[in-house]
Amino acid sequence: MSSSTIVIKAPSKRRNNPIYAHASEVFLVTPGDVITEDADYMRGHGTYTNAGDEDNKLYASVAGVVERINKLVCVKALKTRYNGEVGDVVVGRIKEVQQKRWKVETNSRLDSTLQISSVNLPGGELRRRSAADELTMREYLKEGDLISAEVQQVHNDGMLSLHTRSLRYGKLGQGCCVVVSPSLIKRRKNHIHNLPCGATTILANNGYIWISITSGDACNEGDGGFNVNKEPVPLEEREVVCRLKNCIQCLAKSSVMLYDTSVLYAYESSLQYQVKEIMSEKVSLEIVNQTISLLEREKTGDG
Amino acid sequence: MSLFGNNLSDAEKCFIIHGIQDDFRTDGRSCDNYRTIELAVNVLTNTHGSSKVRLGNTELLVGVKVELGKPEKATPDEGRIEFHVDCSPNATPAAQRKAANKDFVNNIESMLVRTYANKIAIDLTSLCIIKGKMCWIVHVDVLILECGGNILDCTSLGVKSALQDTGIPRVVVKSGDEGEEEVELPDDPFDVQHISVNNVPILVTVSFVGTRHIIDATVEEESCCSASVVMGVTRRGRILGVRKQCGGSLNPETLVEMLEFGKKSGRQLHVALDKMLKSYEKGTTGYL
Amino acid sequence: MAGLELISDQGYRIDGRKPTELRQIRCRLGVFTQADGSSYVEQGNTKVLASIYGPHEPSSNMRSKISHDKCIINCEYSQASFSSAERKHRPRGDRKSLDMAAHIKQTFESCIHTTLYPRSQIDIFLQILQSDGSNYCACVNAATLAIVDAGIAMKDYVCACSASLAKGTTLVDINHVEESAGCAELSAAVMPKLNKIVYSELNGRLHEDEIGKVLDSVVLGCNDMFAVMERTVREHVEETVSNFTHS
């Protein structure tokens, strides 16, 4: 057993580190602020108008940044629950097994559903689901299991229907899950990344980030995630996964946008420290600062 | 005891258990590391002593108030100390919780009572004012604000710090009219006496996961552990109370190993806590 | 009340404030990571923690109240045993707490855009750590900040303030001593930018000629409160956005 010293310290003043002055083009609003009085603009998320008013004042209903895309005005809040869109990649936890579907918890306003007809059968068979399939639903996915899926449909009330009909999705095996706010996940073309350090991450749109080791076998990859590998993960690969987990948590605490580049930069900046040191305040600030400066350099390098 | 247990998938539990076998937990700690502990005392004004503790994601406030009362008939020359634990609604997001909450809270209270109810922990005779008639009753209120695992250790750290910070008004016993004894409270609010906390226990929870023991389990690790043992350890390493929790069974040798392991961690905690309290400067409460 | 002067002859209150002066206000957003939104507010010696969960799927005991066109708001108010000078035995569930929770729920139902979140539930949890008067007002202010932190759509901020009348002068933001003095006490919650009163409550006896004066000073107090809250929110948003935009 390694000798460890327990340190108890007084609480430090909790402050986010405002090292970079925000760009002045950014238009910040708080609830009740008037965004514009121009009637031409269409209103998007985070805005509202008063029905009874004669003038077409557009008010903000959340605190955040105003985004103008052509004639559409919306306010992006700093933290929200997940609002699903068709085609998004999500990671969810099975909450309930119902008659012909599973209820999945996805950090959104309402629980999502996964129909039995929307999953792949073992071996990739194509056939109609029978009554026997309904009874064996729990053998495939039971309460507590984590799955990766895609949003198939968004219903009127905001409920999402998921599907795992591609071999990229399915039940997730050994690894860690980190929960962050959905607004920190940058929208990209691809959300499932095989990082060069040997880990695979799924930066799901709903804020659930899954980190696991890159499985070498081609056949496992194409399995649709039915059989879960319960072999112990070797120590070096475990270290990679845990290091990534800690780095992502540091970035999320300082509200840095999460995508493959930022996660990689954070990983590289953290290599000089031990994995358990990353969670301490001093080291995590160091890592975040380094990540942001690397990202800035990349941006100015490009443009 | 995981009230707020995330239900994890079997594969995630597998990952955690194998990690512990390799002495490398999911946040990189080894089996005998604690998460960062932050502590502040004298944070509440309406109390005689208070403290705020943050252990990783677990946060709680402890307030100590003393009042005058009658001693128990069985122990006329001793004061009393009572523990009350409350779980703030902030700490439990999920579907309620009334029955489970009550069990959870009772568990903590009974563990505190058990480890403090002996002659070693606190000298209750120092709380007696007039034998058989009047004594100090010390009410210790614990408010759990956020639960991230290992709530018992965190509570005991808070209780020890709050008790050390407690100032009991120094009363003077005078003989009044009709030969009755009267008690006079001091005018100066800073004229206080302190309770000695030299032998006060700190609770240490040792969890048995797979085939190894860990301390300071997070919520996820608690849901993987088959059995855990809670013990009250004093600064000198004496064990004041033991209880086994959770449904799994333990070999007698394993139990003894876990007690030794917990004793070592308990002493380290005392050393760290005493060091911190000695050099503590009253300042921010940590929220601002 | 005999022997206790709420206003001295020089015009100062018991704690040294002028009649229209608010207590020192300190607040912070995003205090807890577990909740969707959280905040901490200090008004003098009154300290409140608020946390918001939601909008989320309604929990099993609220299933009966699900509404197809708007969200249900569930509010819980609890006061720590050590919060008041007299030790409180029952932290929650007593009549006063349930009453307070119902008032706060009503306040926010008129201010959150409930129609945007049909069939969902929003939980507002308030915890009083230290109580020194104007509990309702501090709770409303803390809940507003927590809702802003959670990104839930609101029409406007809701700021609350209390006032009481002593010897013909209105005292704004009353503390516990002034509350127990027995004078009439008016609390109100106001939406400052839209200039609307969302909730108001009067305890005690007030002459109808004087009610206008007291109400005006409450509204002024709310506007002062709003200035502080707005500044806190803006600072918080600026700090967070700086990391957002640079990544």
Side-chain angles (χ1 to χ4, degrees), chain A residues 14-23 26 28-33 48 50 59-65 76-81 95 103 107-111 157 159 183-184 186 254-257 259 288 292 295-296 299, chain C residues 26 28 30-33 35-38 53-58 63 113 116-121 148-157 193-194 196 226 230 233-247:
Chain A
R14 291 200 206 173
R15 278 242 85 110
N16 286 331
N17 48 331
I19 15 153
Y20 295 93
H22 73 276
V26 168
L28 300 174
V29 285
T30 53
D33 276 351
Y48 74 98
N50 271 333
Y59 297 95
S61 56
V62 291
V65 183
K76 182 173 171 185
L78 298 178
K79 246 202 270 186
T80 45
R81 284 253 164 177
K95 195 164 147 182
K103 272 266 177 219
N107 200 18
S108 43
R109 207 162 53 74
L110 298 170
D111 291 337
D157 53 7
M159 194 172 75
S183 45
L184 290 177
K186 197 159 184 165
S254 304
S255 301
V256 177
M257 290 292 261
Y259 54 112
V288 169
I292 297 187
L295 289 169
E296 277 282 285
K299 240 205 257 180
Chain C
R26 295 156 92 188
R28 183 164 170 80
V31 168
F32 291 131
T33 45
D36 290 303
S38 54
Y53 287 95
H56 62 84
E57 182 92 13
R63 286 273 154 85
H113 284 267
L116 289 178
Y117 309 110
R119 290 182 46 216
S120 316
Q121 176 181 340
V148 170
D149 187 42
I152 296 179
M154 283 208 289
K155 295 186 185 134
D156 189 3
Y157 283 75
K193 288 176 202 165
L194 304 175
K196 293 210 162 96
F226 165 67
E230 165 88 355
V233 171
R234 260 189 206 276
E235 278 173 10
H236 177 83
V237 173
E238 278 173 12
E239 277 174 19
T240 320
V241 162
S242 75
N243 283 346
F244 251 28
T245 51
H246 285 276
S247 50

Side-chain angles (χ1 to χ4, degrees), chain C residues 219-234:
Chain C
V219 173
L220 272 177
C222 288
N223 283 328
D224 289 341
M225 192 70 219
F226 165 67
V228 178
M229 285 164 66
E230 165 88 355
R231 195 176 61 220
T232 310
V233 171
R234 260 189 206 276

Side-chain angles (χ1 to χ4, degrees), chain B residues 158-175:
Chain B
V159 170
K160 179 172 173 181
S161 335
L163 282 174
Q164 177 161 24
D165 180 50
T166 306
I168 305 182
R170 207 186 295 269
V171 292
V172 174
V173 181
K174 286 203 186 128
S175 45

Side-chain angles (χ1 to χ4, degrees), chain A residues 79-185:
Chain A
K79 246 202 270 186
T80 45
R81 284 253 164 177
Y82 173 55
N83 283 322
E85 286 175 30
V86 177
D88 277 354
V89 175
V90 297
V91 166
R93 203 180 280 282
I94 306 289
K95 195 164 147 182
E96 215 184 308
V97 180
Q98 292 181 345
Q99 184 141 56
K100 277 198 192 137
R101 62 187 186 178
W102 290 274
K103 272 266 177 219
V104 184
E105 196 231 310
T106 50
N107 200 18
S108 43
R109 207 162 53 74
L110 298 170
D111 291 337
S112 315
T113 52
L114 177 65
Q115 301 278 352
I116 193 176
S117 50
S118 307
V119 302
N120 280 333
L121 287 171
E125 286 173 61
L126 294 172
R127 60 171 170 79
R128 262 186 76 180
R129 305 316 192 241
S130 63
D133 287 321
E134 281 182 42
L135 296 172
T136 54
M137 274 171 80
R138 243 195 205 87
E139 279 180 22
Y140 173 40
L141 286 175
K142 60 186 210 295
E143 287 88 346
D145 282 343
L146 272 178
I147 55 162
S148 65
E150 197 178 284
V151 176
Q152 187 176 37
Q153 196 190 7
V154 180
H155 297 268
N156 285 346
D157 53 7
M159 194 172 75
L160 306 172
S161 277
L162 307 174
H163 78 89
T164 59
R165 303 223 72 189
S166 158
L167 294 170
R168 298 193 304 161
Y169 305 122
K171 185 154 72 169
L172 294 171
Q174 288 196 54
C176 300
C177 184
V178 181
V179 178
V180 305
S181 169
S183 45
L184 290 177
I185 308 278

Side-chain angles (χ1 to χ4, degrees), chain C residues 22-59:
Chain C
L22 296 176
R23 289 176 286 183
Q24 187 194 37
I25 303 165
R26 295 156 92 188
C27 36
R28 183 164 170 80
L29 278 83
V31 168
F32 291 131
T33 45
Q34 208 177 352
D36 290 303
S38 54
S39 71
Y40 172 69
V41 166
E42 265 184 34
Q43 272 182 233
N45 272 334
T46 301
K47 300 183 180 163
V48 183
L49 268 176
S51 57
I52 303 279
Y53 287 95
H56 62 84
E57 182 92 13
S59 52

Side-chain angles (χ1 to χ4, degrees), chain B residues 122-170:
Chain B
I122 289 212
D123 182 18
L124 292 172
T125 51
S126 64
L127 298 174
C128 178
I129 306 173
I130 305 172
K131 179 165 171 175
K133 297 228 190 83
M134 201 175 282
C135 66
W136 285 115
I137 305 179
V138 179
H139 290 283
V140 179
D141 293 304
V142 179
L143 177 66
I144 302 174
L145 296 170
E146 211 179 346
C147 188
N150 206 16
I151 198 87
L152 282 160
D153 298 25
C154 199
T155 310
S156 64
L157 283 170
V159 170
K160 179 172 173 181
S161 335
L163 282 174
Q164 177 161 24
D165 180 50
T166 306
I168 305 182
R170 207 186 295 269

